[in-house]
Amino acid sequence: GISRNILLESFKRSEVQELVEDLLKRTDRAVSELAEIIYEKTQGNAFFVKQFIGAMYNEEYIFFDEEKKRWEFNAVGAHTMNITDNVKDLLVSSVSKLPLQTQRVLGHAALIGVNFTLTTLAHCMRQSVEETRELVNAAIEAGLLMNKIGTPGRNTYSFIHDLVQSACKKLIPDEDEARVRLSIAQNMLD
């Protein structure tokens, strides 16, 4: 299928506020305080906002109260969360749910760098460009990579954030990293 990437600017405080109100179906002062915590932790970065809210839910800092029949949250718990660690954990978890071949491609791509061409990646992986494109598209659909616009004649891709690249580097076992890096370097010199 055709993939399209949309570049999002960071959310403004008021937009994070609207998002949290829509999500929790509440508009009270406590929700404003939670929105402020989320904004402060993420600086409005759309990727971080999504990941942070997901981490809050996973940690049960956002939960549905059956008695009150509404969404509740633990603002103190949210305030104590370290966004970097939680986002990395979420990324590692979401990446580990991808098919093994997609994980392998992401690991190699991460060792190439934050930006890479499809041709270079395919060459380093010793597989066809088409096979590599399918795996890269799966990573795009998972929200981990994006196709860079403005590189005519080149299929250039990028990790959506350096934390994603960092998480994907962990997909290559330590004992294999030197061998993979050497292979990448040799293939880039060819």
Side-chain angles (χ1 to χ4, degrees):
I2 295 175
S3 294
R4 292 184 189 223
N5 294 307
I6 300 171
L7 230 38
L8 291 178
E9 292 184 17
S10 291
F11 291 127
K12 298 175 189 152
R13 272 186 162 79
S14 60
E15 293 168 329
V16 172
Q17 170 85 26
E18 287 177 40
L19 177 69
V20 173
E21 288 174 355
D22 286 348
L23 187 68
L24 300 180
K25 307 291 187 231
R26 292 175 52 182
T27 58
D28 52 87
R29 176 148 174 75
V31 172
S32 298
E33 291 171 14
L34 179 63
E36 183 62 26
I37 291 169
I38 293 169
Y39 182 82
E40 290 300 321
K41 293 279 188 178
T42 64
Q43 294 301 300
N45 178 297
F47 174 73
F48 283 159
V49 168
K50 177 182 184 264
Q51 296 297 327
F52 190 71
I53 291 172
M56 287 178 57
Y57 179 78
N58 290 340
E59 295 292 322
E60 298 182 356
Y61 292 146
I62 294 177
F63 56 93
F64 191 77
D65 186 320
E66 291 293 337
E67 285 183 23
K68 294 181 182 178
K69 301 287 186 220
R70 73 178 194 173
W71 286 96
E72 293 289 340
F73 53 89
N74 176 343
V76 173
H79 188 69
T80 61
M81 289 177 69
N82 179 339
I83 181 141
T84 304
D85 291 342
N86 285 298
V87 169
K88 275 189 182 176
D89 290 344
L90 281 170
L91 289 170
V92 169
S93 173
S94 67
V95 167
S96 69
K97 293 175 185 166
L98 294 171
L100 289 176
Q101 280 299 94
T102 304
Q103 289 182 42
R104 187 171 164 261
V105 163
L106 285 169
H108 279 73
L111 292 179
I112 291 171
V114 71
N115 299 305
F116 57 92
T117 66
L118 190 61
T119 306
T120 300
L121 181 58
H123 193 62
C124 291
M125 302 278 308
R126 292 180 169 77
Q127 61 190 30
S128 74
V129 170
E130 283 310 309
E131 183 181 3
T132 305
R133 179 179 283 118
E134 285 180 32
L135 297 168
V136 165
N137 284 340
I140 290 171
E141 288 173 19
L144 302 170
L145 297 176
M146 65 180 175
N147 194 335
K148 293 196 67 153
I149 299 169
T151 52
R154 297 187 68 174
N155 291 311
T156 303
Y157 296 87
S158 176
F159 286 91
I160 61 161
H161 196 277
D162 62 342
L163 286 176
V164 175
Q165 181 192 11
S166 176
C168 289
K169 282 181 182 177
K170 295 178 186 205
L171 296 170
I172 303 291
D174 291 341
E175 60 272 11
D176 295 341
E177 185 176 340
R179 181 186 50 76
V180 172
R181 285 188 183 276
L182 178 61
S183 174
I184 289 168
Q186 288 171 335
N187 283 307
M188 292 176 94
L189 289 174
D190 287 345

